[in-house]
Amino acid sequence: VIDISGSMEGKAETDLKGNVISTAGSKVGSTVGNKVGGTIGNLISKETNNQLTKLGKAKKELMPSIRGLSEDTYFTIVVFENKIKQLNKQLMQANSTNKNLAVAYLEKLESGGGTNMSDALEESFAIPEVETLFVLSDGSPNEGKIPNSQGILDALKQWNSAKKIKIHTIGLGEDCDKDFMKKMADENGGQFIDK
């Protein structure tokens, strides 16, 4: 379950620190691109800027993880901003075709919009046979049926009382709501990782 809201790309950063990080990242990408020059330089500049964002970090972590899944594993990808999108409505076998499809899907993700985590989690719980969720986000939900952290934690207790789905959380960025992400993992048998 991956956050692709505007804050994951620095597009909605409103604090001074977020603006400084975003500006510095853009300058690094532009400098590298200008040194190389031409079409190749433009591609390098864009790729460098993308990798310096929280969404870039998430992609960098996820791609090798997906490639390393054994064939007896079943998975899908759910992404959220204002809207919820899924790679597939059902779990897919982690064969080479589906893993390549997932990596291509991740590569094309772009950020924008608000943070509708509650609806993404609710849809994830509706996927048959899910045993474990990995939630990658900078936290701070602000959209959807439940636009706040405590409301989501309360809803998860209800949704997960019978299913017992393990939820691991990966907090991205210095401005991540670590308390919320840690509580979500702790209250659902998972681990919190601060990236």
XYZ file of all heavy atoms in Angstrom, residues 95-174:
599
model
N 5.195 -14.694 -10.223
C 6.011 -15.275 -11.291
C 6.737 -14.133 -12.013
O 6.473 -12.954 -11.753
C 5.156 -16.121 -12.248
C 4.019 -15.339 -12.872
O 4.150 -14.146 -13.155
N 2.880 -15.987 -13.080
N 7.636 -14.459 -12.915
C 8.461 -13.414 -13.538
C 7.612 -12.400 -14.317
O 7.896 -11.205 -14.293
C 9.543 -14.021 -14.422
O 8.966 -14.801 -15.442
N 6.563 -12.853 -14.981
C 5.703 -11.941 -15.747
C 5.038 -10.922 -14.824
O 5.059 -9.718 -15.094
C 4.620 -12.729 -16.516
O 5.270 -13.651 -17.396
C 3.719 -11.819 -17.312
N 4.447 -11.401 -13.732
C 3.750 -10.497 -12.815
C 4.712 -9.578 -12.067
O 4.391 -8.423 -11.790
C 2.895 -11.293 -11.833
C 1.672 -11.900 -12.504
O 1.210 -11.408 -13.537
N 1.156 -12.970 -11.941
N 5.898 -10.070 -11.747
C 6.883 -9.203 -11.079
C 7.348 -8.099 -12.026
O 7.474 -6.946 -11.617
C 8.066 -10.035 -10.576
C 7.695 -10.896 -9.381
C 8.899 -11.503 -8.702
C 9.369 -12.751 -9.367
N 10.394 -13.485 -8.581
N 7.572 -8.438 -13.292
C 7.957 -7.414 -14.280
C 6.830 -6.398 -14.475
O 7.083 -5.198 -14.607
C 8.325 -8.060 -15.621
C 9.644 -8.785 -15.562
O 10.505 -8.494 -14.732
N 9.827 -9.757 -16.445
N 5.596 -6.873 -14.502
C 4.428 -5.994 -14.608
C 4.376 -5.030 -13.414
O 4.150 -3.828 -13.583
C 3.149 -6.835 -14.666
C 1.826 -6.095 -14.742
C 1.671 -5.395 -16.079
C 0.670 -7.076 -14.534
N 4.634 -5.540 -12.213
C 4.604 -4.721 -11.007
C 5.703 -3.667 -11.015
O 5.463 -2.509 -10.664
C 4.734 -5.602 -9.767
N 6.901 -4.048 -11.437
C 8.014 -3.097 -11.494
C 7.710 -1.990 -12.510
O 7.933 -0.814 -12.254
C 9.348 -3.820 -11.801
C 10.437 -2.829 -12.160
C 9.766 -4.666 -10.603
N 7.165 -2.365 -13.666
C 6.788 -1.372 -14.689
C 5.705 -0.440 -14.136
O 5.735 0.774 -14.373
C 6.307 -2.066 -15.949
N 4.761 -0.985 -13.389
C 3.700 -0.187 -12.765
C 4.293 0.828 -11.789
O 3.939 2.010 -11.801
C 2.730 -1.138 -12.052
C 1.543 -0.476 -11.401
C 0.461 -0.031 -12.157
C 1.480 -0.315 -10.016
C -0.644 0.562 -11.552
C 0.381 0.272 -9.409
C -0.678 0.706 -10.183
O -1.772 1.289 -9.585
N 5.232 0.384 -10.954
C 5.887 1.267 -9.996
C 6.652 2.387 -10.694
O 6.609 3.538 -10.262
C 6.849 0.480 -9.105
C 6.235 -0.417 -8.053
C 7.301 -1.256 -7.377
C 5.462 0.396 -7.026
N 7.372 2.036 -11.760
C 8.180 3.029 -12.472
C 7.338 4.172 -12.999
O 7.787 5.311 -13.050
C 8.948 2.369 -13.614
C 10.128 1.539 -13.146
C 10.813 0.770 -14.254
O 10.230 0.614 -15.355
O 11.940 0.314 -14.021
N 6.085 3.895 -13.366
C 5.220 4.918 -13.966
C 4.465 5.764 -12.941
O 3.820 6.737 -13.310
C 4.212 4.248 -14.901
C 4.856 3.672 -16.139
C 3.837 3.025 -17.044
C 4.525 2.445 -18.264
N 3.605 1.735 -19.131
N 4.545 5.413 -11.666
C 3.789 6.154 -10.656
C 4.263 7.600 -10.554
O 5.457 7.870 -10.534
C 3.938 5.496 -9.280
C 3.255 4.160 -9.073
C 3.554 3.633 -7.675
C 1.751 4.255 -9.296
N 3.308 8.501 -10.485
C 3.590 9.918 -10.264
C 2.717 10.398 -9.120
O 1.638 9.875 -8.894
C 3.297 10.727 -11.535
C 4.241 10.394 -12.671
C 4.004 11.261 -13.898
O 3.233 12.237 -13.799
O 4.576 10.946 -14.938
N 3.198 11.392 -8.422
C 2.473 11.830 -7.232
C 1.566 13.020 -7.506
O 1.702 13.720 -8.497
C 3.468 12.189 -6.138
O 4.177 13.330 -6.529
N 0.655 13.236 -6.571
C -0.251 14.380 -6.625
C -1.443 14.116 -5.732
O -1.752 12.983 -5.406
N -2.097 15.153 -5.300
C -3.319 15.000 -4.528
C -3.092 14.836 -3.048
O -1.981 14.946 -2.538
N -4.186 14.548 -2.342
C -4.173 14.408 -0.892
C -3.796 13.009 -0.449
O -3.428 12.160 -1.258
N -3.929 12.759 0.860
C -3.497 11.484 1.444
C -4.716 10.717 1.952
O -5.125 10.861 3.098
C -2.488 11.747 2.592
O -1.443 12.589 2.099
C -1.886 10.458 3.098
N -5.287 9.882 1.083
C -6.493 9.114 1.381
C -6.105 7.694 1.822
O -6.384 6.718 1.140
C -7.394 9.079 0.145
C -8.716 8.414 0.414
O -8.965 7.891 1.488
N -9.574 8.412 -0.588
N -5.456 7.608 2.970
C -4.974 6.320 3.461
C -6.104 5.404 3.904
O -6.053 4.192 3.690
C -3.993 6.529 4.612
C -3.311 5.251 5.061
S -2.221 5.475 6.488
C -0.906 6.433 5.802
N -7.147 5.957 4.508
C -8.218 5.105 5.049
C -8.896 4.284 3.962
O -9.115 3.082 4.132
C -9.250 5.944 5.805
O -9.983 6.779 4.935
N -9.217 4.909 2.839
C -9.895 4.178 1.770
C -8.968 3.126 1.156
O -9.403 2.037 0.770
C -10.388 5.142 0.686
C -11.504 6.064 1.188
O -11.804 6.046 2.402
O -12.056 6.819 0.374
N -7.660 3.423 1.079
C -6.697 2.451 0.552
C -6.597 1.240 1.473
O -6.567 0.088 1.004
C -5.327 3.104 0.389
N -6.565 1.486 2.772
C -6.504 0.367 3.720
C -7.792 -0.452 3.675
O -7.750 -1.686 3.681
C -6.250 0.892 5.131
C -4.840 1.433 5.377
C -4.776 2.176 6.711
C -3.804 0.326 5.319
N -8.926 0.231 3.593
C -10.214 -0.475 3.529
C -10.277 -1.366 2.290
O -10.694 -2.519 2.357
C -11.363 0.527 3.547
C -12.727 -0.121 3.665
C -13.850 0.892 3.809
O -13.700 2.061 3.381
O -14.890 0.498 4.365
N -9.837 -0.845 1.142
C -9.822 -1.654 -0.083
C -8.841 -2.813 0.019
O -9.087 -3.896 -0.492
C -9.507 -0.785 -1.304
C -10.694 0.052 -1.729
C -10.561 0.641 -3.126
O -9.866 0.045 -3.978
O -11.174 1.690 -3.360
N -7.719 -2.586 0.695
C -6.734 -3.656 0.876
C -7.309 -4.785 1.723
O -7.047 -5.960 1.460
C -5.465 -3.108 1.533
O -4.873 -2.129 0.710
N -8.095 -4.434 2.744
C -8.727 -5.442 3.585
C -9.779 -6.239 2.813
O -10.088 -7.363 3.189
C -9.357 -4.788 4.819
C -8.435 -4.727 5.995
C -7.417 -3.785 6.049
C -8.569 -5.617 7.046
C -6.554 -3.730 7.124
C -7.712 -5.565 8.131
C -6.697 -4.622 8.175
N -10.320 -5.669 1.745
C -11.346 -6.346 0.948
C -10.756 -7.346 -0.048
O -11.486 -8.158 -0.612
C -12.189 -5.317 0.203
N -9.443 -7.317 -0.259
C -8.806 -8.261 -1.195
C -8.771 -9.626 -0.513
O -8.234 -9.760 0.584
C -7.380 -7.805 -1.576
C -7.427 -6.435 -2.260
C -6.707 -8.839 -2.471
C -6.053 -5.791 -2.456
N -9.343 -10.655 -1.158
C -9.359 -11.985 -0.535
C -7.953 -12.523 -0.272
O -7.030 -12.288 -1.048
C -10.074 -12.854 -1.578
C -10.825 -11.898 -2.435
C -10.032 -10.630 -2.440
N -7.827 -13.230 0.848
C -6.622 -13.982 1.214
C -5.402 -13.128 1.576
O -4.297 -13.626 1.643
C -6.260 -14.998 0.129
C -7.378 -16.004 -0.109
C -7.069 -16.997 -1.209
O -5.970 -16.965 -1.778
O -7.956 -17.814 -1.497
N -5.599 -11.837 1.833
C -4.473 -11.009 2.274
C -4.106 -11.399 3.701
O -4.972 -11.490 4.566
C -4.827 -9.497 2.210
C -3.787 -8.653 2.925
C -4.952 -9.050 0.775
N -2.813 -11.645 3.926
C -2.320 -11.985 5.262
C -1.448 -10.880 5.843
O -1.366 -10.726 7.054
C -1.498 -13.278 5.208
C -2.303 -14.492 4.783
C -1.431 -15.720 4.588
O -0.189 -15.622 4.711
O -2.001 -16.782 4.308
N -0.767 -10.124 4.950
C 0.181 -9.109 5.394
C 0.085 -7.888 4.497
O -0.026 -8.018 3.277
C 1.632 -9.660 5.329
O 1.704 -10.867 6.075
C 2.623 -8.659 5.890
N 0.141 -6.703 5.108
C 0.209 -5.449 4.363
C 1.520 -4.748 4.701
O 1.968 -4.767 5.845
C -0.939 -4.515 4.744
C -2.363 -4.932 4.396
C -3.354 -3.882 4.917
C -2.535 -5.117 2.908
N 2.101 -4.114 3.705
C 3.232 -3.218 3.897
C 2.747 -1.843 3.461
O 2.365 -1.660 2.301
C 4.427 -3.659 3.036
C 5.020 -4.964 3.474
C 4.519 -6.170 3.005
C 6.072 -4.986 4.381
C 5.054 -7.377 3.414
C 6.617 -6.191 4.798
C 6.107 -7.392 4.319
N 2.741 -0.889 4.388
C 2.233 0.463 4.112
C 3.414 1.419 4.072
O 4.113 1.593 5.070
C 1.217 0.902 5.185
C 0.692 2.301 4.888
C 0.071 -0.099 5.291
N 3.645 2.043 2.908
C 4.729 3.012 2.740
C 4.120 4.396 2.614
O 3.349 4.660 1.698
C 5.534 2.703 1.474
C 6.403 1.451 1.517
C 5.593 0.218 1.191
C 7.544 1.578 0.544
N 4.464 5.288 3.557
C 3.854 6.618 3.565
C 4.663 7.566 4.435
O 5.482 7.137 5.245
C 2.422 6.519 4.114
O 1.821 7.787 4.211
N 4.387 8.860 4.257
C 4.924 9.840 5.195
C 3.869 10.162 6.258
O 4.018 11.082 7.039
C 5.421 11.099 4.487
C 4.363 11.788 3.631
O 3.193 11.367 3.637
O 4.718 12.763 2.943
N 2.806 9.355 6.289
C 1.766 9.514 7.308
C 0.856 10.683 7.031
O 0.644 11.052 5.882
N 0.258 11.249 8.048
C -0.590 12.440 7.974
C -1.742 12.329 6.976
O -1.820 13.084 6.011
C 0.262 13.667 7.659
O 1.267 13.832 8.624
N -2.676 11.380 7.180
C -3.846 11.292 6.300
C -4.686 12.557 6.382
O -4.808 13.154 7.454
C -4.605 10.081 6.847
C -4.087 9.864 8.212
C -2.706 10.417 8.267
N -5.257 12.964 5.231
C -6.064 14.188 5.222
C -7.224 14.130 4.230
O -7.852 15.129 3.962
C -5.182 15.416 4.921
C -4.464 15.316 3.586
O -4.836 14.520 2.723
N -3.431 16.114 3.413
N -7.500 12.957 3.676
C -8.595 12.784 2.708
C -9.323 11.481 3.013
O -8.872 10.683 3.813
C -8.036 12.701 1.272
C -7.402 13.958 0.753
C -8.399 15.013 0.343
O -9.533 14.665 -0.011
O -8.046 16.191 0.393
N -10.428 11.253 2.317
C -11.138 9.983 2.398
C -12.191 9.939 3.479
O -12.488 10.941 4.128
N -12.745 8.738 3.686
C -13.811 8.557 4.669
C -13.336 8.880 6.081
O -14.103 9.354 6.913
C -14.326 7.113 4.628
C -15.040 6.753 3.355
C -15.408 5.282 3.345
C -15.835 4.856 1.956
N -15.861 3.409 1.798
N -12.058 8.570 6.355
C -11.489 8.843 7.679
C -10.213 9.658 7.467
O -9.144 9.103 7.240
C -11.176 7.536 8.431
C -12.406 6.620 8.465
C -10.676 7.839 9.841
C -12.120 5.224 8.918
N -10.301 10.985 7.524
C -9.157 11.834 7.180
C -8.216 12.169 8.346
O -7.590 13.218 8.353
C -9.825 13.098 6.641
C -11.102 13.197 7.404
C -11.529 11.773 7.666
N -8.132 11.268 9.349
C -7.231 11.555 10.473
C -6.634 10.268 11.030
O -7.209 9.181 10.891
C -7.959 12.341 11.570
C -9.095 11.554 12.170
O -8.891 10.617 12.930
N -10.326 11.929 11.800
N -5.496 10.402 11.680
C -4.721 9.262 12.168
C -5.488 8.422 13.189
O -5.556 7.196 13.057
C -3.420 9.733 12.817
O -2.741 10.610 11.990
N -6.020 9.048 14.218
C -6.696 8.293 15.274
C -7.913 7.556 14.732
O -8.173 6.413 15.106
C -7.100 9.194 16.447
C -7.601 8.418 17.666
C -6.603 7.381 18.171
O -5.449 7.696 18.430
N -7.044 6.135 18.302
N -8.645 8.191 13.829
C -9.801 7.531 13.215
C -9.393 6.276 12.449
O -10.087 5.254 12.503
N -8.257 6.340 11.770
C -7.763 5.176 11.022
C -7.358 4.063 11.990
O -7.686 2.892 11.784
C -6.603 5.570 10.083
C -7.155 6.406 8.922
C -5.865 4.336 9.568
C -6.107 6.978 8.002
N -6.660 4.416 13.065
C -6.258 3.405 14.049
C -7.491 2.721 14.648
O -7.509 1.491 14.816
C -5.398 4.035 15.139
C -4.025 4.545 14.701
C -3.355 5.315 15.838
C -3.135 3.415 14.205
N -8.535 3.495 14.951
C -9.778 2.936 15.497
C -10.452 2.015 14.479
O -10.924 0.927 14.829
C -10.738 4.056 15.909
C -10.218 4.872 17.092
O -9.298 4.406 17.802
O -10.724 6.006 17.283
N -10.494 2.444 13.214
C -11.114 1.623 12.159
C -10.348 0.320 11.961
O -10.957 -0.742 11.779
C -11.185 2.407 10.857
N -9.031 0.388 12.004
C -8.216 -0.822 11.834
C -8.513 -1.855 12.921
O -8.546 -3.057 12.650
C -6.724 -0.480 11.822
C -6.197 0.120 10.520
C -4.776 0.627 10.702
C -6.274 -0.880 9.378
N -8.746 -1.400 14.144
C -9.099 -2.341 15.226
C -10.359 -3.106 14.866
O -10.452 -4.315 15.071
C -9.299 -1.583 16.545
C -8.011 -1.155 17.191
C -8.264 -0.367 18.460
C -6.946 0.205 18.963
N -7.124 1.196 20.013
N -11.325 -2.385 14.293
C -12.587 -3.015 13.904
C -12.385 -3.941 12.702
O -12.797 -5.098 12.724
C -13.617 -1.929 13.578
C -14.963 -2.474 13.191
C -15.937 -1.356 12.821
O -15.657 -0.175 13.002
N -17.083 -1.733 12.292
N -11.749 -3.430 11.627
C -11.559 -4.226 10.412
C -10.703 -5.461 10.668
O -10.893 -6.492 10.051
C -10.879 -3.409 9.311
C -11.615 -2.187 8.858
C -12.961 -1.937 8.947
C -11.047 -1.036 8.238
N -13.252 -0.710 8.425
C -12.099 -0.125 7.975
C -9.751 -0.671 7.875
C -11.902 1.105 7.366
C -9.556 0.557 7.270
C -10.614 1.433 7.020
N -9.738 -5.337 11.585
C -8.751 -6.390 11.754
C -9.059 -7.319 12.927
O -8.297 -8.240 13.192
C -7.354 -5.772 11.931
C -6.267 -6.638 11.335
O -6.539 -7.626 10.670
N -5.032 -6.287 11.593
N -10.180 -7.107 13.601
C -10.494 -7.934 14.769
C -10.634 -9.408 14.388
O -10.205 -10.284 15.129
C -11.756 -7.433 15.471
O -12.863 -7.512 14.610
N -11.201 -9.701 13.241
C -11.375 -11.092 12.810
C -10.285 -11.539 11.837
O -9.836 -12.679 11.889
C -12.747 -11.260 12.160
N -9.842 -10.646 10.971
C -8.897 -11.040 9.915
C -7.477 -11.265 10.415
O -6.749 -12.067 9.861
C -8.882 -9.993 8.799
C -10.143 -9.995 7.969
C -9.904 -9.276 6.664
C -11.090 -9.520 5.763
N -10.746 -9.437 4.366
N -7.050 -10.489 11.403
C -5.691 -10.593 11.962
C -4.612 -10.419 10.900
O -3.620 -11.145 10.845
C -5.488 -11.928 12.693
C -6.494 -12.206 13.781
C -6.339 -11.250 14.930
C -7.308 -11.612 16.055
N -7.839 -10.496 16.766
N -4.800 -9.431 10.026
C -3.805 -9.114 9.002
C -2.647 -8.381 9.670
O -2.850 -7.430 10.415
C -4.426 -8.254 7.883
C -5.473 -9.072 7.109
C -3.353 -7.715 6.939
C -6.269 -8.261 6.101
N -1.436 -8.837 9.409
C -0.239 -8.193 9.949
C 0.058 -6.964 9.100
O 0.062 -7.042 7.866
C 0.937 -9.168 9.884
C 2.160 -8.692 10.623
C 3.235 -9.759 10.637
C 2.840 -10.824 11.624
N 3.913 -11.764 11.939
N 0.274 -5.817 9.753
C 0.551 -4.574 9.030
C 1.931 -4.057 9.415
O 2.167 -3.675 10.563
C -0.517 -3.494 9.304
C -1.907 -4.005 8.923
C -0.183 -2.207 8.545
C -3.043 -3.052 9.248
N 2.843 -4.062 8.447
C 4.162 -3.464 8.614
C 4.096 -2.067 8.005
O 3.463 -1.874 6.959
C 5.234 -4.278 7.886
C 5.347 -5.687 8.381
N 5.877 -6.004 9.610
C 4.986 -6.858 7.816
C 5.854 -7.314 9.774
N 5.311 -7.854 8.701
N 4.746 -1.099 8.633
C 4.730 0.258 8.100
C 6.146 0.752 7.863
O 7.058 0.460 8.640
C 4.003 1.225 9.061
O 4.650 1.224 10.328
C 2.540 0.833 9.221
N 6.313 1.487 6.778
C 7.592 2.100 6.427
C 7.341 3.600 6.343
O 6.603 4.074 5.479
C 8.154 1.552 5.098
C 8.459 0.049 5.211
C 9.429 2.293 4.714
C 7.392 -0.847 4.741
N 7.921 4.336 7.272
C 7.761 5.782 7.328
C 8.815 6.455 6.470
O 10.004 6.187 6.628
N 8.396 7.311 5.558
C 9.303 7.945 4.602
C 9.445 9.435 4.872
O 8.453 10.141 4.985
C 8.801 7.718 3.173
C 8.673 6.253 2.764
C 7.859 6.131 1.488
C 10.041 5.630 2.576
N 10.676 9.900 4.975
C 10.947 11.329 5.092
C 11.071 11.810 6.527
O 10.566 11.197 7.464
N 11.761 12.927 6.650
C 11.981 13.544 7.962
C 10.678 14.041 8.582
O 10.555 14.095 9.796
C 12.956 14.726 7.819
C 14.369 14.313 7.465
C 15.038 13.511 8.571
O 14.882 13.872 9.751
O 15.694 12.510 8.245
